[in-house]
Amino acid sequence: MRHLLSTRDLSRDAAIHLLDVAEDMADVARRAVPKLPTLQGRTVANLFFEDSTRTRLSFEAAAKRLSADVITLSAKGSSVSKGEGLKDTAQTIAAMGVDAVVIRHGASGAARTLADGGWIDAAVVNAGDGTHEHPTQGLLDAYTMRKARHGDGSRGRDLDGLKVTIVGDILHSRVARSNLWLLETLGAEVTIVAPATLLPTGVATWPVTVRHDLDEALAEEPDVVMMLRIQAERMHAAFFPNEREYSREWGLDDARFARLHADTMVMHPGPMIRGLEISAAAADSVRSLVLDQVTNGVSIRMAVLYLVLSADRNSGGGVS
């Protein structure tokens, strides 16, 4: 795996192998000294052209636990704020001798442009590009679902037959796209729920069931309900009348949460807007996997960096 740009690029076997490597990385995190020398001498550059907390910190923690050196550049306060473009910024960082670039960018396709442009020789990991994809989020969500479903017997397992309902701002969500492609690859059945104004053009061609009524979707007793954040920073028009109506029609409030099956998993990629997308009772319940998602994000990102950078990444072996 030279780059990780999209979950659509992953075969079933490759996705399961990546999740299994993340299991090894999770075992490392439970050691007295949660660190491996695997990437010692390698340098990972985090290029974040958009604000981020969870993803940036998660990638930094992952690289450091693998003993890599880390360079982090945020657009604010850098030459980017002075008008420098992606190519020049990336080449400047590459000239410092980096082996991998983790990039978050507001333009869809930025990660693939960097990987295919011939500008740098480093591996490229997509940490979110525009409204396109966020593959490590999709992977950590799949890992979290697999672990919750299969427990200690999750290695080598897929998600065949798992019913996943994704609710909210599908139009602007790169998380939804990465999830649906990966979940379909792993055998899950995906339903997306949103007002018509928050569904993208071409959704009819996606391997999902589309619904507009959340109560109708929840009545089908999904195994997982994933609520999405309303991405107000990407909205330049009125996609729904007001927040109160959105919460009433498409929010996981206390009443809807109480009607869920006892084994239904509740997820959210964060940051959560409590009271709008999800109630406090749902977010803080024992069925909520929100904090598990954060924890598992480090293991997944360790696995990704290991696979794109490890000297023996093509051996198919595990982590010692």
Side-chain angles (χ1 to χ4, degrees):
M1 188 168 70
R2 172 61 176 160
H3 308 293
L4 178 64
L5 307 176
S6 166
T7 57
R8 296 187 78 173
D9 298 334
L10 295 172
S11 67
R12 189 184 188 94
D13 288 343
I16 291 174
H17 175 61
L18 200 157
L19 296 180
D20 288 348
V21 173
E23 296 260 10
D24 295 330
M25 297 303 179
D27 290 342
V28 170
R30 289 188 282 270
R31 296 179 182 178
V33 180
K35 198 155 183 155
L36 289 172
T38 310
L39 299 184
Q40 193 167 16
R42 302 295 186 97
T43 301
V44 177
N46 293 325
L47 300 186
F48 278 70
F49 293 83
E50 289 186 324
D51 293 337
S52 171
T53 300
R54 290 165 179 77
T55 303
R56 179 176 59 81
L57 292 177
S58 183
F59 268 111
E60 287 181 3
K64 290 176 180 178
R65 287 185 184 179
L66 292 171
S67 301
D69 296 317
V70 181
I71 299 171
T72 297
L73 180 146
S74 298
K76 291 179 180 178
S78 73
S79 296
V80 174
S81 64
K82 301 175 183 178
E84 185 174 71
L86 173 60
K87 178 179 179 180
D88 291 325
T89 300
Q91 289 184 326
T92 297
I93 294 295
M96 298 177 186
V98 304
D99 301 288
V101 174
V102 177
I103 179 171
R104 168 166 286 193
H105 201 283
S108 298
R112 192 169 294 277
T113 297
L114 184 60
D116 297 342
W119 303 338
I120 61 174
D121 294 327
V124 176
V125 177
N126 183 2
D129 60 332
T131 58
H132 177 228
E133 278 215 45
H134 191 352
T136 57
Q137 181 70 46
L139 284 161
L140 74 87
D141 289 340
Y143 179 96
T144 302
M145 294 176 202
R146 191 177 78 154
K147 200 69 179 171
R149 191 181 202 197
H150 299 297
D152 292 338
S154 59
R155 290 176 191 266
R157 305 292 292 270
D158 55 26
L159 297 175
D160 271 349
L162 192 74
K163 295 166 62 178
V164 182
T165 297
I166 302 176
V167 186
D169 186 1
I170 308 294
L171 177 63
H172 301 100
S173 178
R174 50 198 174 201
V175 172
R177 289 165 174 79
S178 284
N179 263 285
L180 73 90
W181 298 123
L182 181 61
L183 291 171
E184 192 267 340
T185 297
L186 292 173
E189 303 169 14
V190 181
T191 297
I192 57 176
V193 184
T197 52
L198 288 176
L199 290 172
T201 302
V203 70
T205 66
W206 291 3
V208 298
T209 299
V210 178
R211 297 199 183 282
H212 302 298
D213 190 310
L214 177 55
D215 293 310
E216 181 180 289
L218 296 182
E220 297 176 352
E221 298 190 347
D223 300 298
V224 180
V225 176
M226 180 182 296
M227 308 305 295
L228 299 175
R229 182 174 67 87
I230 293 297
Q231 299 189 34
E233 74 278 11
R234 301 185 191 279
M235 295 182 180
H236 305 293
F239 290 89
F240 49 86
N242 54 61
E243 292 184 352
R244 180 177 296 178
E245 179 179 347
Y246 181 89
S247 179
R248 183 174 63 249
E249 297 294 332
W250 296 284
L252 185 60
D253 57 18
D254 290 347
R256 289 191 174 104
F257 176 66
R259 292 199 299 269
L260 293 180
H261 190 274
D263 295 328
T264 301
M265 307 171 227
V266 175
M267 302 177 69
H268 194 300
M272 296 182 290
I273 305 177
R274 292 172 181 250
L276 174 58
E277 306 141 357
I278 188 169
S279 70
D284 299 330
S285 75
V286 295
R287 285 184 277 167
S288 171
L289 301 179
V290 173
L291 293 181
D292 298 76
Q293 291 171 267
V294 176
T295 300
N296 295 336
V298 178
S299 300
I300 282 290
R301 284 154 185 150
M302 287 175 71
V304 169
L305 292 174
Y306 169 78
L307 289 171
V308 300
L309 284 181
S310 178
D312 60 348
R313 62 179 177 268
N314 293 320
S315 68
V319 180
S320 61

